[in-house]
Amino acid sequence: GCQYAVVETSSEGIKQYRHRGINYDVAVFTNLTPEHLEAHGGFEQYKQAKGELFAWLAKNSRKMIEKKEIPKTIVVNADDEHAEYFLSFRADQKVIFSTNLTNTVGEAGMGEIIAEEIKTGAHGVTFSVFGTSFKLALPGRHNMYNALAAIATVNALGVSLEQCAAALKKITGVPGRMEKIDEGQPFTVIVDYAPEIASMERLYETVRDMPHQRVIHVLGSCGGGRDRARRPVLGRLAGENADVVFVTNEDPYDDDPMEIINEVADGAVTAGKQDHKTLFRIIDRQQAIEQAIANAAPGDLVLITGKGCEQAICVARGVKIPWDDREVARRAIMSQ
């Protein structure tokens, strides 16, 4: 009975030709930030790999479903500086989403989803689109942009704005994304994925809207063997925004986990953090989470990032250790 499949098609997947054999009907561009540059050989190559999805959309013939021809559609975040590139590919219809009524990206005749009356807060985001009010129980402007991408996509497929608003109102949370762990403790614990620079910046933008005393951050750096340049930057971001930083293991694969930890922690040092005072390097992720939670005082905010709801830590020789940051945090809170 499945009628729609939503496929996250990564640049790595495209590079490995995993998109071949899939006849996409809609290609959606959310944003472009410097990621996986080592694997692709530079930012332009990374952007072109993303563009391959949009080129592939046009290469495939339109489908006939229940005697109805399905138009090839491109949906693009017009507020991103690379929007014009992704709109340059051929499609039957193109739709932009934006927070700017005067956005001049694209061409005449394109569909538009424009958010107005935007209000962000600790408990979510409200906005309107052409008079239809939306209430999203997910905090942060980045979640609003994700919602706009979804609205623009399904609206292009014939779903009304009123139906979109009713559906989005039902979403109370996404596992491992700004997920609060509440066991009645007098401080806040949040588990979020945020594995890369842009997502961590968005995370801290959202945290600023939340009432809190100190921020205590547990993090590592994803994936041994890749994106090494991000490690000190993630550490610096944590060092600049958190009061106490715990750097720990994440998914080292075949790399030396302590080497990864040190590269992240050294970034926090450049932001003024001091070892054994405001910075702790702990290879055991469970121990790091337990110590961070034990360190929390009433009103503090503990952030645990890098894994979200992932169910394993990936270590050497392909071994996967069963894991869940949320369960570890719950046990640590309840043992207080």
Side-chain angles (χ1 to χ4, degrees):
C2 178
Q3 294 179 303
Y4 298 88
V6 182
V7 183
E8 182 187 19
T9 310
S10 68
S11 62
E12 287 286 286
I14 292 167
K15 184 181 175 184
Q16 297 167 21
Y17 304 108
R18 284 188 263 139
H19 64 298
R20 296 300 177 98
I22 304 175
N23 185 354
Y24 298 88
D25 302 294
V26 185
V28 183
F29 169 67
T30 54
N31 57 69
L32 193 65
T33 56
E35 286 302 313
H36 310 304
L37 302 190
E38 293 164 16
H40 289 285
F43 185 79
E44 280 303 310
Q45 294 91 325
Y46 172 56
K47 184 172 82 170
Q48 289 168 14
K50 293 278 191 182
E52 280 296 315
L53 172 64
F54 294 77
W56 182 251
L57 179 84
K59 289 177 183 176
N60 286 275
S61 59
R62 291 190 291 270
K63 296 174 190 169
M64 292 292 295
I65 299 177
E66 295 179 350
K67 299 181 180 179
K68 181 181 177 182
E69 193 171 56
I70 308 300
K72 297 294 183 182
T73 304
I74 286 176
V75 176
V76 168
N77 175 6
D79 294 348
D80 187 277
E81 62 179 309
H82 304 284
E84 291 281 13
Y85 171 71
F86 291 94
L87 284 167
S88 69
F89 293 91
R90 184 166 51 88
D92 299 316
Q93 60 179 355
K94 298 177 183 180
V95 182
I96 62 169
F97 59 94
S98 175
T99 60
N100 183 1
L101 271 172
T102 60
N103 204 312
T104 58
V105 167
E107 57 206 52
M110 287 195 313
E112 293 181 332
I113 294 294
I114 310 295
E116 299 180 273
E117 301 174 326
I118 302 163
K119 294 181 181 178
T120 62
H123 301 292
V125 186
T126 60
F127 58 95
S128 67
V129 176
F130 303 131
T132 299
S133 297
F134 287 82
K135 185 175 182 180
L136 189 66
L138 303 174
R141 285 179 69 89
H142 62 289
N143 279 317
M144 180 198 65
Y145 271 101
N146 287 339
L148 290 176
I151 293 164
T153 301
V154 300
N155 187 244
L157 296 171
V159 179
S160 72
L161 292 178
E162 292 74 18
Q163 287 174 298
C164 291
L168 287 170
K169 194 174 182 179
K170 295 177 183 176
I171 299 174
T172 57
V174 179
R177 300 296 199 276
M178 290 298 294
E179 184 174 352
K180 287 188 178 181
I181 309 301
D182 189 356
E183 297 295 334
Q185 75 276 6
F187 51 87
T188 302
V189 177
I190 291 176
V191 172
D192 190 70
Y193 188 41
E196 40 93 1
I197 295 162
S199 59
M200 190 175 290
E201 290 173 338
R202 299 295 86 77
L203 170 65
Y204 272 113
E205 285 177 7
T206 305
V207 163
R208 291 186 196 111
D209 286 334
M210 298 179 170
H212 62 269
Q213 299 296 321
R214 297 181 307 161
V215 174
I216 301 167
H217 194 161
V218 180
L219 77 156
S221 183
C222 80
R226 54 181 171 156
D227 292 332
R228 186 168 184 168
R230 82 165 65 158
R231 296 172 186 173
V233 183
L234 291 175
R236 177 178 56 78
L237 283 170
E240 290 172 345
N241 291 281
D243 298 280
V244 183
V245 177
F246 288 82
V247 184
T248 189
N249 205 7
E250 201 160 290
D251 285 310
Y253 292 91
D254 291 306
D255 280 12
D256 178 353
M258 205 63 220
E259 181 180 335
I260 298 173
I261 288 168
N262 285 333
E263 289 181 15
V264 175
D266 289 349
V269 170
T270 66
K273 291 296 178 280
Q274 294 180 283
D275 278 292
H276 311 298
K277 293 182 179 179
T278 54
L279 172 63
F280 300 90
R281 311 174 193 225
I282 302 173
I283 195 166
D284 186 310
R285 191 172 180 90
Q286 178 171 326
Q287 184 183 345
I289 291 171
E290 288 173 347
Q291 287 196 23
I293 287 172
N295 190 265
D300 285 349
L301 174 58
V302 179
L303 296 177
I304 304 169
T305 64
K307 295 199 66 64
C309 63
E310 289 181 344
Q311 295 296 293
I313 292 178
C314 300
V315 296
R317 296 182 293 278
V319 174
K320 293 184 177 181
I321 302 169
W323 187 262
D324 190 324
D325 273 355
R326 301 165 301 170
E327 289 305 313
V328 173
R330 286 190 183 97
R331 290 196 299 268
I333 292 166
M334 294 174 72
S335 67
Q336 293 290 297

